[in-house]
Amino acid sequence: MTLCTSALLRKLFRPVLCILGMAARPRRLEEFPINVSIEDWEYSLLRLYTSRDIESGPTNRIRLSSTYIVEFRRYKEHAHPEHEYLIAKIWVPEGYYRYLRIERTAHIPLNEASKSTLRSIPTTSLQASLAVMGELYVYDSVKSIEEWPTTSDQCLDRLQCPRGHIRLLDLAIVATLLHDNSPRYQILTRQCYWYSDMILGVLHREFPDMTALDRDASITLSYSYDDEKSQSSQDDTQKEDAQDDKAQDDKAQDDKDDVDISDMTSGTYMRVPIYTRPLDVIIMIQKAFQERRLAVQSLISEAEQAVTRREEHLRQLEIATEELEGQIAAVTDQLAAATGAGGQASMTSGLR
């Protein structure tokens, strides 16, 4: 059993650990949470999509394949320390779009004796100072938002995703694997720049049909996938969008909106590069993602088989119940007939 599969099984058996007091109780199961940690979000999605409930399980699994990413945008804040975060635009089966903000911030232990108890601190120079001293842990989070940011934050780049390819669960898995890869906050190597860029890097390596949109020519990025093939894929995708249904027309209209593409470079602080994309880590995370995706598919298949068995059991129980009710009705009729015949015989004997 691989390390990836073991970690997945631990997440699925988390309710037992919660009862034993060996793990924190998870939040409510949601696809689009208000604000939760990446680990809790992935756990919620796994519980939803592998549910063995006869009514909700199949419905949740339909949502699994029908809820997918259509676009990513990466933003940089102007204010110190130029925090970067990722926004995902998601198509949902109800026929509209939802938005999620994913980002990395830092947490500091309340005391050295209990590093599992953390409190959030703001993104300030104090955060950077503590990170250099190695006192911070990461807090990778996801929260549902109403739309693209309307603040002065600068959009660094946009990536269009092939429709139906990148599921919501895929994003959660990659974000969690990257979280597990770097639980400590390091100001120069494992900060918000690293997290938002690595999510895109791993996903694009796994789904090479992702294409860049409206990127300013002055932006210098370390994407290894910016090549002629990507441009060709972009042209093909734009042609297909022209023939799409109403939902895709809505997306096309959204894409026409003016986006303030910044001339600021990602992975920099005050335009000084402090981050470059590590290809070896991307390859490692991609492999782990493929393993976990297979493990999840196996769990989903098991859940589907369990639901099928339960439905068959219920059908057999229903048939047996109908047969029993028929037998009871037949016996009741026989008793009624016998009682009626006996009463008639008694009346005839009395008349005689």
Side-chain angles (χ1 to χ4, degrees):
M1 181 181 295
T2 65
L3 181 61
C4 175
T5 305
S6 299
L8 177 62
L9 291 176
R10 285 197 299 273
K11 289 179 181 293
L12 293 177
F13 282 105
R14 192 170 178 177
V16 177
L17 299 178
C18 292
I19 295 175
L20 297 177
M22 301 171 64
R25 294 188 178 275
R27 297 174 182 265
R28 185 174 56 182
L29 304 182
E30 292 180 302
E31 291 176 309
F32 298 92
I34 296 177
N35 191 353
V36 301
S37 69
I38 285 294
E39 314 99 281
D40 280 348
W41 182 47
E42 186 208 25
Y43 170 76
S44 294
L45 295 181
L46 287 172
R47 294 287 295 176
L48 283 170
Y49 300 142
T50 61
S51 171
R52 301 192 176 194
D53 183 83
I54 293 179
E55 295 183 359
S56 63
T59 302
N60 292 342
R61 280 182 282 281
I62 291 175
R63 292 188 62 84
L64 170 62
S65 58
S66 304
T67 306
Y68 52 84
I69 316 297
V70 298
E71 185 179 334
F72 285 109
R73 293 187 188 181
R74 191 146 55 108
Y75 288 84
K76 178 187 279 288
E77 296 178 352
H78 281 292
H80 174 81
E82 299 182 6
H83 177 64
E84 292 185 13
Y85 57 91
L86 190 66
I87 305 293
K89 180 179 180 181
I90 302 106
W91 174 260
V92 295
E94 289 77 11
Y96 55 89
Y97 296 106
R98 298 289 299 269
Y99 298 84
L100 288 174
R101 172 170 170 159
I102 299 175
E103 62 190 323
R104 164 165 291 191
T105 54
H107 274 56
I108 182 172
L110 288 176
N111 55 70
E112 290 298 317
S114 177
K115 291 185 179 294
S116 61
T117 305
L118 307 175
R119 63 181 174 87
S120 180
I121 64 173
T123 307
T124 63
S125 57
L126 172 62
Q127 177 174 332
S129 301
L130 290 173
V132 171
M133 294 186 294
E135 298 296 328
L136 289 180
Y137 290 77
V138 301
Y139 180 64
D140 299 329
S141 61
V142 57
K143 65 179 178 181
S144 178
I145 59 176
E146 295 297 325
E147 57 184 6
W148 299 116
T150 56
T151 62
S152 60
D153 297 349
Q154 294 294 306
C155 178
L156 296 175
D157 57 328
R158 303 168 64 193
L159 290 172
Q160 180 177 280
C161 307
R163 284 182 170 268
H165 287 204
I166 306 178
R167 303 174 303 181
L168 188 64
L169 181 58
D170 295 331
L171 174 60
I173 290 175
V174 169
T176 302
L177 288 171
L178 288 168
H179 169 84
D180 294 340
N181 178 262
S182 61
R184 292 276 188 139
Y185 190 97
Q186 301 177 39
I187 191 64
L188 296 180
T189 58
R190 295 293 187 270
Q191 71 295 84
C192 60
Y193 307 154
W194 179 88
Y195 193 64
S196 60
D197 180 68
M198 288 293 286
I199 290 175
L200 296 180
V202 174
L203 286 174
H204 195 279
R205 187 173 180 85
E206 181 66 22
F207 304 97
D209 290 337
M210 291 172 63
T211 55
L213 298 174
D214 298 341
R215 182 174 297 160
D216 191 279
S218 63
I219 298 179
T220 303
L221 296 175
S222 59
Y223 292 132
S224 60
Y225 51 80
D226 284 345
D227 51 23
E228 295 180 359
K229 180 179 179 181
S230 178
Q231 182 62 42
S232 176
S233 298
Q234 177 183 347
D235 295 339
D236 293 342
T237 302
Q238 290 174 344
K239 292 179 181 178
E240 293 174 1
D241 285 346
Q243 304 173 356
D244 254 335
D245 56 15
K246 182 179 181 301
Q248 292 170 320
D249 290 337
D250 292 341
K251 176 189 177 298
Q253 182 62 42
D254 183 73
D255 288 342
K256 293 178 182 177
D257 296 341
D258 292 333
V259 178
D260 185 12
I261 300 297
S262 171
D263 61 353
M264 303 170 69
T265 304
S266 66
T268 64
Y269 175 64
M270 298 183 69
R271 301 187 185 278
V272 177
I274 63 172
Y275 161 76
T276 56
R277 174 181 288 181
L279 182 59
D280 57 334
V281 178
I282 288 180
I283 294 174
M284 178 183 66
I285 297 298
Q286 181 194 18
K287 182 179 179 181
F289 167 76
Q290 293 170 347
E291 293 177 353
R292 183 168 293 190
R293 207 169 192 249
L294 288 174
V296 169
Q297 189 57 51
S298 177
L299 292 171
I300 290 175
S301 298
E302 292 177 4
E304 290 174 342
Q305 293 171 8
V307 170
T308 300
R309 289 193 298 269
R310 290 184 180 181
E311 290 175 342
E312 181 61 28
H313 176 71
L314 288 177
R315 281 194 293 268
Q316 294 177 356
L317 184 61
E318 184 178 355
I319 293 173
T321 301
E322 291 176 353
E323 292 177 350
L324 181 59
E325 290 176 348
Q327 294 174 1
I328 292 174
V331 171
T332 302
D333 292 341
Q334 292 176 2
L335 290 175
T339 302
Q344 186 176 5
S346 298
M347 291 177 61
T348 303
S349 175
L351 290 173
R352 289 178 180 175

